[in-house]
């Protein structure tokens, strides 16, 4: 198979040379001989390799052979054998054909409009006459783009320097409006410019006047490590004279040389103090949540103790319901304490805690499942949602599975924009509107409408009961 391909390529070279060049048969054989080494050159150099020969009548060349690298992506998407190489785009090729001089690292534009680095070597016959050229091309489009971006960045930096610093006759305007202290330091760290905020800062911290030509580290020794750092761009916090600053250093190149730096100091003292206050408040709120949870669990423990000591049988159900309500509210605070947020509760997780607790304590063989995504609400809403979930699941356990001790309950969560929806579905006997409303459902309806500014519906059929709670994500949302 390989021999057949070589024969086809050889015939293609012969045909192109006879149609477009003045080469003799002996010269064409020399071109074919060189072409058989092209693939090796392409693979070793990771470049596209070509052979061009001078056109018989025109002042350009014709591509008679090519090899794409198997070790790197090819520059060309299509074969270019048989195409013309014009002097406008590839002057090095025509120059080498005419003079026999080697051209290396020359820039050219391919027929597919890509920028390449091109090296051109003459191919000579036995009489040392140039009969063609061997060309090696590497894509430098990315390299050129990077270089252009660097040059543009350098020009922008110089313009920015001029805009900010101006000259001695034109006092700069932009820095005067800055709240941050702006210094421009020379090569030795000397102050060559400082805006009014910088002058005031030095005077406030040291009581001294900011002198031009003085080294800034003489006033603020703590910034020495920043000034002397090798990084072109450096952002770092530092503390000096009882204040906290964010320091930004920008080294400015000028014609490939270091030309000083901008140093910007922003006072973060008040911000850090407020952050400390927020941390203290967060700790205090967490402690309040912890104490509320403990107090609720203490009340629950007292109810359990009273139930163990004995209560009338007809009162037992009311004690259990009250106990479950208290534990459901306590679950809200457990979720809050287990999360990083102090004011948001995942009601998916909350509902799982409540549902599993109720099923476990009921003694029924009920399978409870949860569907949908996590849904967070603020802690005030979470208490109402917890009580509603408690009442709906408790209602299922009390009435849905009459005559049997097994069944299914599913709780699903859905969020459409700002609207939150929770659906509790069972496969029990089905709720009837003629039934006398229970205290639990009355609690649910009141909380849904008054506490959550939402709505509550409940419907039953032969497949069970479906209770739906809908409410906005935050109080007051519509």
């Amino acid at each position: 198979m390989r021999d057949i391909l070589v024969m086809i390529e050889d015939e293609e070279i012969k045909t192109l040379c006879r149609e477009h060049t003045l080469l003799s048969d002996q010269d064409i054989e020399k071109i074919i001989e060189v072409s058989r080494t092209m693939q090796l050159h392409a693979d070793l150099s990771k470049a596209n390799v070509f052979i061009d020969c001078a056109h018989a009548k025109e002042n350009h060349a014709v591509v008679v052979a090519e090899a794409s690298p198997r070790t790197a992506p090819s520059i060309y998407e299509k074969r270019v054998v048989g195409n013309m190489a014009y002097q406008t785009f590839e002057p090095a090729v025509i120059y080498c054909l005419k003079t026999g001089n080697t051209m290396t690292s020359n820039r050219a534009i391919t027929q597919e409009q890509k920028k390449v680095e091109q090296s051109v070597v003459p191919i000579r016959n036995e009489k040392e006459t140039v009969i063609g050229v061997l060309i090696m091309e590497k894509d430098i489009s990315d390299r050129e783009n990077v270089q252009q971006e660097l040059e543009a960045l350098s020009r922008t930096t110089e313009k920015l320097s001029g805009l900010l610093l101006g000259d001695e006759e034109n006092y700069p305007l932009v820095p005067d409006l800055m709240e941050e202290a702006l210094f421009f330091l020379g090569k030795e760290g000397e102050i060559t410019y400082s805006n009014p905020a910088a002058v005031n800062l030095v005077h406030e911290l040291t009581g001294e006047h900011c002198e031009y030509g003085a080294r800034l580290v003489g006033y603020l020794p703590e910034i020495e490590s920043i000034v002397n750092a090798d990084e072109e761009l450096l952002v770092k916090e530092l503390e000096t004279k009882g204040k906290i600053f964010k320091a930004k250093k920008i080294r400015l190149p000028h014609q490939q040389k270091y030309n000083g730096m901008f140093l910007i100091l922003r006072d973060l003292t008040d911000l850090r103090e407020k952050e400390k206050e927020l941390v203290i408040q967060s700790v205090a709120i967490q402690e309040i949540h912890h104490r509320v949870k403990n107090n609720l669990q203490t009340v629950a423990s007292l109810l359990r103790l009273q139930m163990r000591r004995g209560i009338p049988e007809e009162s037992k159900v009311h004690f259990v319901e009250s106990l479950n309500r208290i534990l459901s509210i306590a679950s809200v605070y457990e979720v809050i304490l287990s999360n990083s947020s102090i004011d948001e509760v995942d009601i998916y997780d909350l509902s799982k805690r409540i549902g599993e607790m109720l099923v476990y304590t009921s003694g029924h063989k009920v399978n409870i499942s949860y569907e949908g995504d996590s849904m967070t609400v603020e802690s005030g809403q979470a208490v109402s949602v917890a009580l509603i979930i408690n009442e709906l699941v408790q209602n299922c356990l009390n009435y849905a599975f009459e005559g049997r001790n097994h069944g299914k309950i599913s709780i699903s969560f859905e969020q459409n924009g700002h609207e939150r929806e929770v659906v509790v579905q069972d496969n029990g006997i089905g709720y009837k509107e003629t039934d006398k409303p229970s205290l639990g459902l009355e609690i649910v309806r009141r909380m849904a409408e008054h506490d959550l500014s939402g709505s509550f519906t409940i419907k039953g059929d032969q497949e069970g009961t479906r209770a739906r709670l809908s409410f906005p994500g935050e109080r007051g949302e519509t």
Side-chain angles (χ1 to χ4, degrees):
M1 184 65 180
R2 171 62 185 162
D3 293 339
I4 294 174
L5 290 174
V6 170
M7 290 175 62
I8 293 173
E9 292 170 355
D10 292 351
E11 286 300 318
E12 186 176 39
I13 293 172
K14 289 178 182 179
T15 301
L16 288 170
C17 288
R18 286 169 180 167
E19 287 181 1
H20 299 287
T21 75
L22 300 175
L23 296 179
S24 65
D25 289 344
Q26 188 174 1
D27 290 340
I28 293 173
E29 288 299 325
K30 179 65 176 179
I31 294 293
I32 291 173
E33 179 185 341
V34 175
S35 73
R36 291 172 180 168
T37 66
M38 290 171 57
Q39 189 61 58
L40 179 62
H41 290 303
D43 292 342
L44 287 173
S45 60
K46 298 183 179 180
N48 288 69
V49 179
F50 309 90
I51 294 178
D52 287 11
C53 296
H55 196 275
K57 298 179 180 180
E58 305 292 340
N59 189 28
H60 51 254
V62 59
V63 183
V64 299
E66 70 173 333
S68 300
R70 293 172 295 196
T71 54
S74 174
I75 298 173
Y76 295 85
E77 296 179 2
K78 301 178 182 178
R79 291 186 79 238
V80 296
V81 171
N83 291 352
M84 298 299 165
Y86 297 98
Q87 183 174 8
T88 303
F89 297 109
E90 301 184 55
V93 172
I94 307 303
Y95 177 80
C96 185
L97 283 169
K98 289 181 177 180
T99 65
N101 293 330
T102 297
M103 299 287 290
T104 59
S105 301
N106 185 64
R107 302 292 174 89
I109 300 176
T110 71
Q111 296 177 28
E112 294 182 1
Q113 302 303 309
K114 292 183 179 178
K115 296 176 182 178
V116 296
E117 186 177 78
Q118 189 183 71
S119 296
V120 188
V121 179
I123 301 173
R124 302 177 187 272
N125 60 15
E126 293 180 356
K127 296 179 182 180
E128 291 299 311
T129 302
V130 177
I131 59 174
V133 290
L134 185 68
I135 306 163
M136 183 182 299
E137 292 182 352
K138 289 187 175 182
D139 189 354
I140 58 169
S141 300
D142 291 342
R143 193 194 315 168
E144 287 254 314
N145 291 338
V146 171
Q147 182 63 31
Q148 290 173 3
E149 289 175 2
L150 288 174
E151 291 175 358
L153 180 60
S154 179
R155 289 194 298 271
T156 302
T157 302
E158 291 181 22
K159 289 180 180 179
L160 178 62
S161 302
L163 173 65
L164 288 176
L165 297 181
D167 51 42
E168 293 180 358
E169 296 179 358
N170 298 310
Y171 196 78
L173 174 63
V174 175
D176 290 359
L177 304 177
M178 295 175 59
E179 295 182 0
E180 294 86 354
L182 172 66
F183 300 91
F184 185 73
L185 308 182
K187 297 179 181 180
E188 304 301 324
E190 72 278 11
I191 302 172
T192 59
Y193 170 76
S194 56
N195 71 345
V199 173
N200 292 337
L201 176 66
V202 170
H203 181 72
E204 179 185 352
L205 296 180
T206 66
E208 301 182 43
H209 182 68
C210 183
E211 298 286 346
Y212 293 114
R215 298 184 73 242
L216 183 59
V217 295
Y219 297 114
L220 305 172
E222 292 83 359
I223 69 165
E224 185 170 8
S225 61
I226 298 174
V227 172
N228 295 335
D230 293 331
E231 289 88 345
E232 299 290 328
L233 176 64
L234 180 63
V235 179
K236 186 178 181 181
E237 282 194 18
L238 62 88
E239 187 171 351
T240 178
K241 313 293 184 182
K243 286 184 172 289
I244 301 171
F245 295 92
K246 176 187 279 188
K248 295 182 182 179
K249 182 191 75 171
I250 307 171
R251 292 169 66 102
L252 298 177
H254 178 69
Q255 297 179 352
Q256 310 272 329
K257 295 181 180 178
Y258 169 56
N259 192 41
M261 71 179 69
F262 280 120
L263 188 66
I264 303 170
L265 298 179
R266 181 184 177 190
D267 191 346
L268 299 180
T269 308
D270 290 342
L271 179 62
R272 293 292 177 261
E273 287 297 324
K274 290 178 180 178
E275 288 176 351
K276 288 180 181 178
E277 291 175 6
L278 286 174
V279 170
I280 293 172
Q281 289 177 9
S282 298
V283 172
I285 292 172
Q286 289 279 31
E287 180 60 24
I288 291 171
H289 288 327
H290 188 74
R291 291 185 181 184
V292 170
K293 185 201 75 168
N294 288 346
N295 289 339
L296 288 170
Q297 289 179 339
T298 299
V299 173
S301 297
L302 291 173
L303 282 175
R304 289 195 190 97
L305 181 61
Q306 182 64 49
M307 292 169 67
R308 291 194 192 100
R309 291 175 64 89
I311 57 175
E313 190 64 29
E314 62 272 15
S315 301
K316 186 174 182 180
V317 64
H318 302 299
F319 271 79
V320 171
E321 289 178 354
S322 298
L323 177 62
N324 288 337
R325 288 168 185 148
I326 293 169
L327 292 176
S328 295
I329 298 173
S331 295
V332 174
Y333 294 95
E334 287 180 1
V335 173
I336 292 174
L337 291 169
S338 64
N339 293 337
S340 57
S341 174
I342 63 171
D343 198 43
E344 287 191 343
V345 177
D346 185 342
I347 59 176
Y348 184 99
D349 182 28
L350 175 64
S351 299
K352 285 186 69 174
R353 290 173 183 250
I354 295 172
E356 289 167 7
M357 173 193 71
L358 293 174
V359 170
Y360 176 76
T361 58
S362 71
H364 294 303
K365 296 179 180 178
V366 173
N367 180 34
I368 186 165
S369 61
Y370 309 88
E371 300 173 359
D373 299 324
S374 294
M375 187 186 297
T376 59
V377 298
E378 54 96 6
S379 57
Q381 287 182 312
V383 172
S384 299
V385 173
L387 284 171
I388 289 173
I389 296 294
N390 173 84
E391 297 302 328
L392 293 177
V393 174
Q394 187 69 61
N395 208 56
C396 294
L397 294 170
N398 289 346
Y399 307 110
F401 310 114
E402 187 177 332
R404 54 190 171 116
N405 64 352
H406 61 85
K408 293 181 180 180
I409 301 174
S410 68
I411 306 177
S412 62
F413 307 86
E414 186 176 350
Q415 181 171 341
N416 296 315
H418 294 297
E419 196 71 15
R420 315 292 175 87
E421 182 177 284
V422 181
V423 175
V424 178
Q425 174 87 48
D426 65 54
N427 66 342
I429 61 175
Y431 171 78
K432 298 180 182 62
E433 293 186 5
T434 57
D435 292 344
K436 181 181 178 181
S438 66
L439 175 61
L441 288 181
E442 193 61 32
I443 290 173
V444 169
R445 200 176 302 279
R446 287 179 177 274
M447 285 194 164
E449 294 174 0
H450 298 289
D451 292 358
L452 297 177
S453 301
S455 62
F456 170 74
T457 59
I458 182 168
K459 292 182 180 180
D461 54 31
Q462 64 273 19
E463 295 182 357
T465 301
R466 175 184 173 89
R468 176 183 173 274
L469 167 68
S470 178
F471 63 98
E474 296 180 6
R475 296 180 192 275
E477 274 192 9
T478 57

